[in-house]
Amino acid sequence: MSYQAVIRNTSNTLVVSSPVGMKISILQGSASGSSVYTETQTTSTNANGLVSLEIGTGIVVSGNFATINWATGPYFIKTEVDPLGGTSYTIVGTSQLMSVPYALFAAGSGNGEAPGTAVGDMKYWNGTAWTMIPVGTPGQFLQLSSSNIPSWTGGTFAALTLNPIPNQVSSFSPGESVSGNLSSTGLTSSGGSPNVQIGFCWNSSPNPTVADNQAIFYQYAGTGNFTGSVFSLLPSTTYYVRAFAINSAGTSYSNEQSFTTFTPTIPTLTTTAVSNVTGGTADGGGTVTNDGNALVSARGVCWSTSPNPTLADSFTSNGFGTGIFSSTINGLVISTTYYLRAYATNAAGTAYGNQVTFTTTSTLSIGSFHQGGLIGYLLQSGDPGYSSTIPHGIIISQNNVAGGVIWGCQGTLISGANSTVIGGGAQNTLDIIAGCSIPGIAAALCDNLVLNGYTDWFLPSDNEWIALSSPAAITSNVVVNQQGYWTSNQNNANNANILFNNYPNYSGAIFNIGKDDFYAYGGVVRAIRMF
């Protein structure tokens, strides 16, 4: 207990900056009562004659300061002082202790009420005495009755558990499945809800809550098992998961489970031997045997005329995931040796299978890359320009020249532009350009095209497009299914023809639409040349 006093000698002069001896007694009952504790201390005054000390820390003469029962007061403090620093005490004073010991009493012994038996027990005043209210169930709240008596009421928190999760899971699967059991909805007739929202929450830190990643699945009535998935997981990361349930009382959580996602590695795969080799096409593929603990997001084959082809070379895209896949290889050059490898890509990178080689035949075929583009059609007996000794046909640009293009000059009948035969598209293109000066029309885009060193490209006629839209051309990816391509033939002053592929239902269907109505089927432009 802290104590301060100003020391004066018998002449009433301040004793400053000097040692003083003090004897301190705690008297019970009155200023002349019996001493319950006595101690001595030697201390020094400051420049103002003030001494400061802690009662209970001196040399004990009698009693025990710690065992004083402050509730049986009043208590008085008696001080005896030797201003010369010895034990010849000549200055005596007594005063009543008012607050400090009683504050100690309040902190140490309470108000004398009996303690509760559990954390959360409370007491209320019933008008004559303090009455205990045992702790309620988590989720309940106190409610006053009409007679001002409090009691616990309301629904309780739901109770649920989370089942174990495999220690390691793939980080790039669509979602790791977890399951939980809602063992009690905690509903009562006085404030519960008939439905409970349930789900799972997870985070890379312990004790996840609904403020973290979460998935609320549905309103749930009753109790029982439920399952769900966690998602958007990072590799090489430990996650903590808890099931949760939300009812009218609030949100409750299950026990916590944890798991660690795998560190992904590149996939493992093999390359299938190439088959069905022609002058311009071949069949290949591969088998992804291991995904490297991450989703295989792309797979296919890549090829080149140099060893060890990569995705920087030509390649196909053949789906995702593990297992066997097949690839159709197009745009090959006749009598050429190619190197081919299967590939598979996941989050860790791209892996390649074993390398295989093959050589295309010397026979020209649909899909072969030849003279600036792909062979789309080989002339048959009866076609203009056919030769039984020298192969001729139609070369088509590998890609669309443009889309969303108008034929041009709707309302104007172009002179010419009416040859529908194979070989007629070149003259039709010149006729259209001569009769329609609008820039960027379909015919002009083909006539101005410079591609792979060739400049004699033109817009196909009706029959040229029909020949190019054969099943063989579509399956070899020479032309694209479900697209509308302008032909070089007009139907009248307002309409021109467009070919729409919808193989296998039909192919090469010619429609006439407004020359400026590119939006009807896409207004796609593809250029051709003859060889």
Side-chain angles (χ1 to χ4, degrees), residues 9 25 112 132 156 160 193 218 250 304 314 419 462 499 511 522:
N9 60 21
S25 301
M132 181 73 70
T156 61
L160 65 166
S193 169
Y218 43 79
S304 174
S314 299
S419 176
D462 285 358
L499 175 137
F511 300 89

Side-chain angles (χ1 to χ4, degrees), residues 44-66:
S44 295
T45 59
N46 64 13
N48 297 312
L50 180 70
V51 294
S52 299
L53 49 85
E54 293 289 329
I55 300 175
T57 62
I59 299 173
V60 177
V61 175
S62 64
N64 187 333
F65 187 80

Side-chain angles (χ1 to χ4, degrees), residues 168-173 175-176 202-204 213 230-239 259-264 293-294 347:
Q168 285 193 311
V169 299
S170 171
S171 61
F172 287 89
S173 60
E176 180 60 27
W202 64 96
N203 203 345
S204 56
N213 295 315
V230 298
F231 45 84
S232 300
L233 305 178
L234 297 176
S236 307
T237 303
T238 296
Y239 286 94
F259 63 90
T260 301
T261 52
F262 283 115
T263 300
N293 296 315

Side-chain angles (χ1 to χ4, degrees), residues 305-329:
T305 55
S306 300
N308 300 316
T310 68
L311 291 179
D313 302 305
S314 299
F315 64 92
T316 64
S317 296
N318 303 114
F320 58 90
T322 58
I324 300 172
F325 63 90
S326 300
S327 307
T328 298
I329 307 154

